[in-house]
Amino acid sequence: MNCWICGARADSGEHMIKASDLRGLFRHVNQRSPLFLHTDDRRNLPVPGIKSNLLKHKARLCSRCNNERTQPHDRAWSALSQYLQERRPQIRPGMRVRLCDIFPGKVSRSMLEVHLYFVKLFGCIATENKISLPVGEFSSAIRHGQAHPHIWISIGTSFHRHEIKYAGCTEVHAAKFNGRVIFAIWTYFLGDVDVYIMYSLPGERRRGLVDAWNPANVNKALTIAKTRY
């Protein structure tokens, strides 16, 4: 298998949920205190460690793309994710989060990197599941360090806090017109934080795009959207 970003030999797996997110939410994970993975095919599959291949996408990358090339993207999301999880008072729908508190002096650059982190995950999902999206555009955005103009992100939370800790991602739901995907959406969820990642061609008017952002329109405050109930 070749890396879908650059075409080199693939020798690295990307976590479906970022390893630092899993550590932050579940703390210590080992054989005595495993995670339990639920899929469409299996329930309560024990995962003995965060580095397990069970937690990684089957679509693989090369080490350079998964580490050196996209490491700034990973770090930017880690910083934003940690802030959202630990913020007091806790985030709630409609709240405006000051991004300069997280990324002082580099809001635009850091939010571009957050965006590219989810472009990478979206590309892994599309490649793994053979979803008819133009993955070449995803790889080009990553390789050139530029925003993907059709990828939008909305960050939100549920109204109700949950006693059981959980993390995961949904399948991609796509809408087509004349055989072409015009809108696609999936969710990355981590505890009480939801991230909606959307592929939307110009002219689409979808409810999910409310409060969504792209690096072209990001400003110094992020509106927390209402996602789960």
Side-chain angles (χ1 to χ4, degrees):
M1 182 181 295
N2 292 333
C3 172
W4 65 264
I5 294 177
C6 73
R9 185 176 67 87
D11 57 2
S12 181
E14 173 68 18
H15 277 80
M16 292 181 281
I17 301 296
K18 194 165 184 355
S20 62
D21 281 343
L22 294 173
R23 292 190 190 97
L25 185 63
F26 298 107
R27 303 302 174 188
H28 302 292
V29 179
N30 50 48
Q31 291 184 343
R32 291 185 178 181
S33 181
L35 298 179
F36 290 92
L37 179 66
H38 304 305
T39 69
D40 290 339
D41 300 321
R42 297 194 60 178
R43 306 286 291 178
N44 294 317
L45 181 64
V47 179
I50 287 175
K51 292 184 179 180
S52 170
N53 285 333
L54 291 170
L55 300 177
K56 296 179 180 180
H57 287 289
K58 293 182 177 63
R60 297 176 67 80
L61 305 171
C62 68
S63 296
R64 179 172 181 266
C65 283
N66 204 19
N67 296 306
E68 178 186 342
R69 190 190 299 275
T70 61
Q71 190 175 67
H73 313 160
D74 296 356
R75 288 176 175 170
W77 166 244
S78 290
L80 179 56
S81 174
Q82 182 177 357
Y83 179 89
L84 295 173
Q85 292 287 335
E86 297 178 356
R87 190 186 189 282
R88 297 295 180 271
Q90 293 175 312
I91 61 171
R92 63 183 185 277
M95 175 182 282
R96 298 273 288 170
V97 172
R98 285 167 46 89
L99 294 173
C100 56
D101 292 340
I102 311 165
F103 305 117
K106 53 178 183 177
V107 167
S108 295
R109 180 66 198 177
S110 296
M111 292 302 283
L112 169 62
E113 290 168 347
V114 169
H115 167 89
L116 290 173
Y117 171 72
F118 286 104
V119 170
K120 175 172 69 169
L121 290 192
F122 209 160
C124 286
I125 292 172
T127 300
E128 179 177 339
N129 294 284
K130 298 180 172 58
I131 299 170
S132 56
L133 285 165
V135 176
E137 295 177 2
F138 292 37
S139 66
S140 179
I142 293 170
R143 285 184 287 106
H144 294 97
Q146 297 174 347
H148 190 305
H150 305 325
I151 300 293
W152 295 79
I153 297 171
S154 177
I155 296 177
T157 186
S158 61
F159 275 126
H160 306 291
R161 301 290 160 176
H162 304 277
E163 294 182 2
I164 298 175
K165 294 180 179 180
Y166 59 96
C169 55
T170 68
E171 63 183 1
V172 176
H173 300 276
K176 291 185 177 182
F177 181 74
N178 288 337
R180 182 185 185 189
V181 174
I182 58 173
F183 185 82
I185 182 170
W186 62 281
T187 310
Y188 178 108
F189 52 90
L190 182 72
D192 292 308
V193 174
D194 295 345
V195 185
Y196 276 26
I197 304 94
M198 292 158 277
Y199 173 87
S200 179
L201 292 184
E204 288 299 298
R205 298 289 184 268
R206 305 278 176 165
R207 185 172 60 181
L209 293 170
V210 176
D211 293 327
W213 58 271
N214 176 281
N217 75 343
V218 74
N219 55 40
K220 298 193 180 201
L222 176 70
T223 299
I224 302 300
K226 179 179 69 176
T227 53
R228 291 200 308 269
Y229 293 88

